[in-house]
Amino acid sequence: MAKITKELLLEKGIPKHSKLGQVKKIKLSNLQLKTSDLDPKLFSQLRQLEELDVSGNLLTEIPDNLGLVNLRLLNCADNDMEQITSLNQFKNLEDLNCEDNMYLTICDTYKVMYLLPNLRRFNGKDITSSANHLRFVNSRKLMSLITDFWEKKYKAQVSEPPAVAEIKAVAKDFVKSAIAEVKYGPNSLSDYTKWRVEMIAKEFVASLLKHENQVSSESEGSEDEDEAENTDESVVLEPLHFLQSHSRDNDPEDLTTQLWACAFEPEIKNSLTPDGGLQSSRTVATCGGDSVCFIDCETGIVLHKYKSIGEEFFSLAWTTLTVMVKDQKRKLNVLAVGGQMGVVKLIHVKVNYCYGKIKAHKRPVSTLCFCPNRETFLFTGSYDKTIILWDIGVPDCDYNFRVSQLLVLKVCSTPLKTSPVPTCPEQYLVAACEGGCFAWDITLTKYEDKRNIVMEFQFPIYNNKNGKSDCCIVDSLAFCNDDLVASKTSMQGSIYLWSWSQTLKKWNKRNTKVNAAILREMEWSNTDEVYIALTTCPVENYLVCGDEKGDIWMYELDKFTNEEIESGKKTSPTQILKWPAIEARGEIIEGTLINNVTTDPEFKYLVAVTDKNIIVIWKRT
């Protein structure tokens, strides 16, 4: 008779419930359990389980495929565990206790630290720093050693460039020899080093095969499958820099200044340089408190800092203006920034000079964005419940410029994020607002310089914890491509992906309300916090959004059908990037609310700004 039954799990589970799918904690300690007693079919029903205690039993390992996707704490102390690599299945595990398992070694500890990207505590100790060093520094060194080993011992055995058949011919011997000959670290970690060398060597071969398959027109489909086959992997991001560059009065202990927005400087191509002068984008602008910072993401150096005493900046937006320099056209990057004072400031970033101020609104500026195909057209949203379209003009060599107001869009609530529709940027503007999600006709004519809402997008009604319908606060919005819109409604725990073109087809112009054509509902944090902004990386097909704990939810957007969804089924994130432990004032900052995130167009860097005056920069590895 099975030792573990559904009835036992319900009896031991918390909270008490008639369904396993609602249980979050279970204590199964000191029951003389063996590995065979952990039935994957039964445990896979525990979809919401976050904490599992199986200490004091007779387990030799944790079975594969238990299906505990939300498990965050596991206590398997005082067992007979012989290996723990099967814990790789628990990608969200943060706290693991494996004490008093006499067959486990230090190498097993290192393996599990590498395999579990979100693990923070092991056997009651904080291992964040050592785990990050292991995953990034140690791995980079081993990769360098294996690459050198290939260059010295095997590169001469294949042609240049190598053919797929040649790579496959030496692959097995290369991996075997690398395991035997590549040495790194103390002897006590030799088992772990061999394990990682084998893994990295196979990945190295797979990368060679992938490259050659991409450039070769020959079909290799009939070839035998090699041990070192290529597999899809999540985006790997390494924490690179932690900055407190917005501290008031340069106070190093300032952990209260809110940072609200961040965006990468656009790539520019200057006609004055012989090769076109392509300048890559690794400079990010951040705003919060009374300052705007321009940061080199690779070095972490603050290139420029603009301050305005008494201001609190909320929003920023980039544009690239075409100016005349000695009768030649040249591109010039300008940053618009606005906040508490209702004034928009125009900054020539290269020389860190604020050359213009626009008294845009009588109340604070809440959002800014430029029209993608009209470089001088700037939309400013405000707490005065309007969105205004400005033509900011182009400065001359003495920074003289002329600004003009083109349109006023009436809003029923504060606009929080605006975006012109990519396929018709001079016809429609979409905005996420405190009172919902709306669109306006922004076609420029000689009349009607004040416009009302033409579309109010309807989403499934959300009921709060009291069973009452909440005001629909749509606090963020972005286009993932020319048609796909991502929008987030506060306190709903999800992000909607919907089709602009399909929604437009359903619109009856005699009625402003139109049901959004929802194609996918993405799972997100179930938090009451509002004003957490999402962002998209269309080139890499990614959607990214922070949360109230400092984690970053990442979604790789696959191909979508044109069918609308009817059920409330949510799609899980591709991965969740956990908040890295940061020390300040001698204490570890366990997590913080991420107000905004951004990526460069090629997704080489990811930047997050928080409510504790901390900027985090990750680099893709």
Side-chain angles (χ1 to χ4, degrees), residues 178-191:
I179 294 170
E181 298 184 39
V182 173
K183 308 293 183 184
Y184 181 67
N187 290 334
S188 60
L189 294 177
S190 60
D191 180 55

Side-chain angles (χ1 to χ4, degrees), residues 593-611:
L593 188 148
I594 292 181
N595 285 320
N596 211 326
V597 291
T598 189
T599 72
D600 65 296
E602 297 178 355
F603 211 157
K604 291 181 180 178
Y605 303 98
L606 173 67
V607 179
V609 293
T610 73
D611 66 342

Side-chain angles (χ1 to χ4, degrees), residues 43-44 46-50 66-72 89-93 523 572 576:
F43 274 78
S44 63
L46 298 164
R47 293 182 295 274
Q48 299 299 320
L49 191 69
E50 296 181 358
L66 284 187
L68 306 178
V69 295
N70 290 307
L71 193 66
R72 286 176 168 75
Q89 63 187 293
F90 307 130
K91 294 297 186 184
N92 290 317
L93 198 65
E523 179 186 3
S572 298
I576 298 177

Side-chain angles (χ1 to χ4, degrees), residues 240-399:
L240 192 61
H241 301 292
F242 308 103
L243 305 173
Q244 284 181 276
S245 53
H246 291 263
S247 300
R248 292 191 185 276
D249 301 320
N250 297 318
D251 180 5
E253 296 189 354
D254 178 6
L255 292 174
T256 60
T257 295
Q258 291 260 9
L259 309 185
W260 290 108
C262 52
F264 273 86
E265 182 177 10
E267 294 181 352
I268 59 175
K269 195 171 186 179
N270 282 322
S271 59
L272 293 184
T273 55
D275 61 352
L278 186 62
Q279 179 180 321
S280 63
S281 177
R282 72 181 201 187
T283 300
V284 67
T286 60
C287 74
D290 62 3
S291 59
V292 181
C293 292
F294 303 94
I295 303 166
D296 184 319
C297 286
E298 183 63 30
T299 64
I301 295 173
V302 178
L303 304 173
H304 303 291
K305 185 173 183 178
Y306 173 79
K307 296 192 71 170
S308 179
I309 304 300
E311 178 66 279
E312 182 173 4
F313 290 114
F314 294 146
S315 186
L316 51 76
W318 288 95
T319 190
T320 303
L321 300 179
T322 304
V323 298
M324 295 300 296
V325 179
K326 297 180 180 179
D327 297 326
Q328 295 189 61
K329 291 182 178 180
R330 182 158 185 160
K331 300 295 184 180
L332 176 78
N333 278 341
V334 169
L335 184 79
V337 59
Q340 187 68 38
M341 294 181 177
V343 176
V344 175
K345 300 187 177 183
L346 305 175
I347 303 173
H348 179 193
V349 176
K350 189 174 183 180
V351 295
N352 194 31
Y353 176 61
C354 177
Y355 71 85
K357 298 179 182 180
I358 303 171
K359 294 181 179 179
H361 299 270
K362 293 181 179 180
R363 297 199 64 193
V365 173
S366 56
T367 182
L368 298 168
C369 81
F370 280 94
C371 184
N373 64 333
R374 298 291 293 270
E375 61 189 40
T376 63
F377 280 19
L378 173 65
F379 293 94
T380 66
S382 169
Y383 284 81
D384 64 11
K385 300 180 182 179
T386 65
I387 299 171
I388 299 178
L389 173 59
W390 307 86
D391 186 342
I392 66 169
V394 177
D396 62 21
C397 57
D398 295 318
Y399 289 111

